[in-house]
């Protein structure tokens, strides 16, 4: 039955289908894209917000038919002047990163300032508390809403002189459109004759698949194709390092994870596709899964993945000096076992892909992946075609944090397009997203650390075991990085570290911001605190005595030759630390180090093309991914710096027009290597401009730069010169609690080499701290029989606006000679020390040293509104 409503000031009729939400009706029937789907049907992220009869409501939780007679207002419907004002306020305050959450927050903020023209920061935090942001830490969002309110009161929005060169806070590329929700994400794309995809996932972490029956699904009206393993013309197995992950599990094989795909459906609409996917019948023989890495190593344990019959995905070893003897001779020694947990990335945009057969026989693929050329390579192999038959384009994504490095549903979507000859879009639900993509590794770390009578570290001995789940992903590299960062940013003469990544039937674990360094930091920072007590010095002084300087040796044996800013970051927080101690505050301090660049012997590329276009613009192509970190904006700044042209000239693009395969956007390297390439291409363009030519004379010219870095050495090398990484970023953080043990104030001093864009740089750090505080206190993803016990966003423990303490970021610039204009990566270091700082503050509050994350048994965690895991998925409903 049709339903009439008033949408954005006009009468509108929609035809709700059974089970259709207002969100789906707005997006699919009314062409509204400012309302995003982050968690339907949970109603917990706020991305789908609309004003209904003047009140903010989440449209995913409202059945479409209930909209009858209602007045619905979305961002598309507000007055253009207001749209301009509000979006400029968000961009001016750098109040967004990936932008996926922002339309919902902006609309809620409009509702707030309409009723309260002068809201306090607390009022704003309270109003947006129902909206989730995974990127920003809310600090700059609250700044933006304050600015919105001021603008609405008639005050001008500051627009400082800014020519976009390196060191200035150039406004984010496409920022206004992102704030208003009009810059599309993959799920916002549409095509004529578009089909919608859906997948059938295994409910069993380990089961033999006897038979897959698609006949009922195929018979459902509206279904155009159902694909299974039998339909894959190429290599059904893919992966970033090992091809150990099947795009479909075939009859006769075992499932390894509850995210395994059995079938994929293409249908005329999404509801039909999802219904058909549920109608695929699979006959399983349920088997006992291996869920504990120690169990997986036992003699006789079943093989999880044929890639490694003994279940050992990787083993990394670092030995320097004689740790046992040094420990025996040490004046003080501490030993302990630190345990970290599995967590979910929870980027707010679930995975989506769109594939479309092109008239020239190629396939177009819109992806949100972190390495679009890796996506192309794997999709082409899956389809059994050469990579040049797939034209891939990045649609800047709604957050990734490492979780979009691996393939999710790109290959299945491409196959459905190939089978049907029609464009197909497939978007995962929140639950499917959580089941399918890799997580942060739970790692158990047995650590022994010694020091002399004055607190100088003598030796570190560590044994680490990480649960890598069902597929390799980059799990071996994560454990390798954990081993490499086992000593933190400290001078340690004797090192004995071994780490192991182990396959289990749990959800796969792979890259997540920090990539093993966070887990290692939690352990070493705890040990350093314990030793400081034994020595009788404070935690700041202990770190000062041990922090590396130029000429010192990193854990891996690399001599640190340049840009070592850890002591500057310690200096930057010194007064705040001692002032807090003097005031009797519970304060914790921790330091961090994080590689910038993958290193360890990898060949790393920065590739760029500057193409002068007829319309007077310059297209800026690069091979790395924009995922909210602001890469495209800082690359424009490098282009401005190199060429002297204004920022408005450059149009950043990421697609397969040129062969710019740089691998994954990972290891805090896109600014480092991508920036180098853009500077190099820009130098060539500037040389032509200096000959007196204008852009009009250069139309069609392509300025190319492919910059290779291949001077790093593998872990354990016997080479004369060890250089495991191009460079490192450094940080010192302070956590200060209030008189009740709750988070009050957080200080983060970071050596970033050069702050290319100070606002975006600080935003990265604020967002990392938000993620790190969740990691420390509330976030976890426990599983039973390999299935997450909850998919509920509040249960998962990501902090809300009112849970955040005040955050103070101090940018320290220690020039990196190998970086473009002295810059190095900042994307990951922000949460490396965070859990350690919180653990120190908690011990200073209640005397309890905590060894296990998340530290839910603490007053700080108890005061936080999320992370209580109230919802448990009953086993009989798993499907
Ligand atoms: S609240 Fe509706 S999509 Fe998350
Ligand atoms: S900017 Fe808020 S989720 Fe990315």
């Amino acid at each position: 039955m049709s339903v009439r409503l008033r949408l954005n000031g006009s009468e509108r009729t929609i035809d709700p289908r059974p089970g259709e939400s207002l969100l789906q009706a707005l997006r699919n029937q009314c062409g509204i894209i400012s309302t995003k789907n982050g968690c339907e049907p949970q109603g917990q992220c706020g991305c789908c917000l609309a004003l209904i009869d003047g009140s903010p409501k989440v449209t995913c939780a409202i059945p479409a038919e209930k909209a009858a007679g209602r007045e619905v207002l979305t961002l598309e419907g507000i007055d253009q002047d207001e749209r301009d004002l509000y979006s400029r306020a968000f961009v001016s305050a750098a109040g967004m990163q990936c932008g996926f959450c922002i339309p919902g927050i902006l609309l809620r903020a409009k509702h707030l300032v309409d009723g309260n023209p002068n809201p306090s920061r607390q009022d704003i935090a309270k109003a947006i508390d129902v909206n989730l942001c995974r990127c920003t830490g809310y600090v700059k969002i609250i700044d933006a809403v304050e600015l919105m309110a001021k603008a609405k009161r008639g005050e001008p929005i500051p627009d400082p002189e800014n020519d976009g060169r390196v060191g200035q806070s150039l406004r984010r590329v496409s920022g206004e459109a992102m704030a208003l929700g009009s810059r599309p994400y993959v799920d916002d794309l549409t095509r004529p004759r578009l089909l919608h995809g859906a997948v059938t996932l295994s409910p069993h972490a380990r089961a033999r698949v006897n038979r897959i029956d698609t006949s009922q699904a195929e018979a459902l009206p509206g279904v155009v194709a159902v694909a299974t393993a039998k339909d894959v013309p190429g290599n059904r197995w893919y992966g970033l390092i090992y091809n150990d992950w099947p795009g479909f599990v075939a009859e006769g094989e075992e499932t390894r994870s509850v995210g395994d795909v059995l079938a994929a459906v293409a249908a005329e609409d999404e509801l039909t596709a999802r219904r058909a996917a549920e109608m695929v019948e699979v006959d399983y023989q349920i088997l006992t899964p291996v869920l504990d890495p120690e169990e997986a190593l036992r003699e006789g344990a079943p093989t999880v993945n044929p890639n490694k019959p003994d279940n050992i995905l990787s083993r990394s070893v670092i030995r320097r000096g004689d740790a046992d003897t040094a420990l025996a001779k040490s004046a003080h020694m501490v030993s302990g076992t630190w345990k970290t947990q599995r967590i979910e990335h929870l980027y707010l945009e679930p995975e989506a892909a769109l594939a479309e057969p092109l008239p020239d026989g190629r396939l177009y693929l819109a992806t949100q992946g972190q390495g679009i050329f890796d996506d192309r390579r794997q999709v082409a192999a899956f389809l059994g075609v050469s990579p040049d038959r797939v034209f891939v384009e990045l649609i800047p994504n709604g957050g990734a944090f490492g979780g979009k490095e691996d393939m999710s549903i790109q290959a299945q979507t491409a196959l459905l397009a190939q089978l049907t000859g029609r464009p197909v879009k497939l978007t995962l639900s929140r639950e499917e997203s959580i089941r399918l993509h890799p997580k942060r590794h739970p790692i158990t770390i047995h650590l022994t650390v010694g020091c002399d009578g004055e607190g100088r570290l003598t030796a570190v001995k560590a044994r680490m075991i990480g649960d890598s789940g069902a597929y390799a992903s980059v799990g071996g590299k994560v454990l390798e990085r954990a081993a490499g960062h086992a000593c933190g940013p400290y001078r340690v003469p004797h090192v004995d570290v071994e780490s192991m990544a182990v396959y289990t039937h749990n959800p796969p674990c792979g890259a997540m911001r920090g990539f093993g360094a966070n887990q290692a930091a939690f352990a070493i920072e705890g040990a350093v605190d314990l030793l400081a007590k034994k020595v009788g010095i404070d935690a700041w002084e202990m770190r000062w005595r041990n922090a590396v300087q130029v000429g010192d040796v990193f854990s891996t044996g690399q001599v640190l030759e340049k840009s070592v800013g850890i002591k500057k970051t310690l200096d930057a927080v010194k007064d705040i630390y001692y002032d807090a101690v003097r005031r009797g505050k519970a304060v914790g301090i921790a330091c961090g180090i994080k590689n910038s660049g993958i290193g360890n012997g990898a060949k790393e590329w920065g590739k760029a093309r500057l193409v002068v276009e007829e319309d007077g613009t310059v297209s800026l192509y690069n091979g790395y991914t924009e995922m909210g970190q602001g890469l495209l904006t800082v690359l424009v700044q490098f282009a401005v710096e190199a060429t002297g042209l204004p920022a408005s000239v450059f149009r950043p693009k990421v697609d397969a027009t040129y062969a710019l395969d740089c691998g994954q956007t990972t290891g805090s390297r896109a600014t480092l290597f991508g920036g180098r390439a853009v500077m190099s291409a820009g130098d060539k363009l500037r040389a032509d401009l200096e000959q007196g030519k204008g852009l009009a004379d250069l139309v069609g010219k392509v300025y190319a730069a492919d910059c290779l870095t291949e001077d790093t050495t593998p872990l354990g090398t016997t080479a004369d010169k060890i250089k495991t990484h191009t460079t490192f970023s450094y940080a010192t953080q302070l956590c200060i609690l209030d008189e009740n043990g709750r988070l009050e104030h957080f200080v983060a001093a970071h050596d970033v080499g050069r702050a290319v864009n100070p606002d975006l740089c600080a935003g990265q750090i604020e967002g990392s701290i938000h993620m790190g505080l969740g990691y420390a206190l509330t976030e976890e993803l426990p599983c039973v029989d390999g299935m997450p016990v909850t998919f509920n966003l509040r249960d998962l423990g990501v902090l809300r606006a009112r849970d955040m303490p005040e955050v103070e970021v101090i940018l320290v610039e220690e020039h990196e000679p190998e970086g473009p204009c002295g810059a190095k990566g900042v994307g990951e270091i922000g949460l490396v020390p965070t859990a350690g700082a919180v653990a120190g503050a908690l011990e200073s509050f209640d005397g309890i040293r905590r060894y296990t994350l998340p530290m839910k048994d603490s007053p700080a965690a108890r005061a936080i509104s999320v992370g209580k895991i109230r919802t448990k998925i009953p086993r009989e409903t798993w499907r």
Side-chain angles (χ1 to χ4, degrees), residues 104-257:
I105 290 176
L106 196 155
L107 195 58
R108 195 177 285 278
K110 169 194 156 46
H111 180 260
L112 171 71
V113 300
D114 280 352
N116 175 2
N118 195 6
S120 65
R121 289 184 80 82
Q122 290 72 22
D123 293 335
I124 297 167
K126 187 173 167 204
I128 65 168
D129 199 62
V130 279
N131 290 68
L132 194 57
C133 175
R134 186 52 153 166
C135 300
T136 62
Y138 308 103
V139 180
K140 292 192 175 7
I141 286 180
I142 294 175
D143 293 346
V145 178
E146 279 189 311
L147 205 52
M148 265 178 74
K150 278 188 192 160
K152 184 144 182 169
R153 298 197 302 268
E155 295 179 36
I157 293 177
D159 206 2
E161 274 298 294
N162 189 333
D163 61 12
R165 293 184 64 163
V166 167
Q168 301 187 359
S169 290
L170 179 68
R171 303 300 180 234
R172 180 178 290 273
V173 169
S174 306
E176 282 85 355
M178 288 166 71
L180 295 168
S182 57
R183 196 218 64 193
Y185 298 86
V186 173
D187 192 47
D188 297 327
L189 301 176
T190 189
R191 292 287 189 277
R193 300 182 68 238
L194 180 68
L195 293 172
H196 296 263
V199 285
T200 307
L201 302 183
S202 168
H204 308 295
R206 183 174 177 229
R208 186 185 151 80
V209 177
N210 293 324
R211 202 168 63 86
I212 303 172
D213 181 354
T214 60
S215 55
Q216 281 198 56
E218 282 164 15
L220 187 70
V223 170
V224 179
V226 183
T228 65
K230 291 185 211 139
D231 299 298
V232 179
N235 187 356
R236 186 161 50 85
W237 298 75
Y238 45 67
L240 289 172
I241 296 173
Y242 300 108
N243 286 339
D244 74 337
W245 196 328
F248 291 104
V249 177
E251 287 180 349
E253 292 178 351
E254 279 187 22
T255 64
R256 295 174 188 84
S257 138

Side-chain angles (χ1 to χ4, degrees), residues 277-402:
E278 286 177 9
M279 290 166 73
V280 172
E281 289 198 345
V282 185
D283 176 25
Y284 296 103
Q285 179 191 348
I286 300 171
L287 302 169
T288 306
V290 185
L291 301 166
D292 180 311
E294 306 269 0
E295 290 293 322
L297 293 175
R298 281 200 216 296
E299 191 71 28
T303 291
V304 176
N305 192 304
N307 179 43
K308 298 278 181 179
D310 61 0
N311 293 331
I312 299 175
L313 170 60
S314 73
R315 195 192 293 270
S316 304
V317 177
I318 303 173
R319 291 225 165 77
R320 283 195 291 113
D322 179 351
D324 284 330
T325 305
L327 286 169
K329 290 184 181 165
S330 294
H332 305 284
M333 192 173 82
V334 294
S335 278
T337 298
W338 279 262
K339 291 188 176 183
T340 69
Q341 78 282 39
R342 175 185 307 103
I343 66 162
E344 159 60 25
H345 296 71
L346 209 63
Y347 30 75
L348 282 191
E349 179 206 23
E351 293 82 347
L354 184 147
E356 179 182 24
L358 296 174
D360 62 7
R362 292 182 303 161
L363 189 85
Y364 167 84
L365 177 68
T367 180
Q368 39 156 249
Q370 286 182 238
I372 68 161
F373 290 90
D374 280 346
D375 285 0
R376 180 174 78 160
R377 170 180 58 78
Q378 293 172 97
V379 166
F382 191 79
L383 298 181
V385 301
S386 70
D388 61 6
R389 305 307 294 160
V390 179
F391 183 86
V392 62
E393 180 183 11
L394 170 76
I395 307 300
N397 66 41
F401 315 115

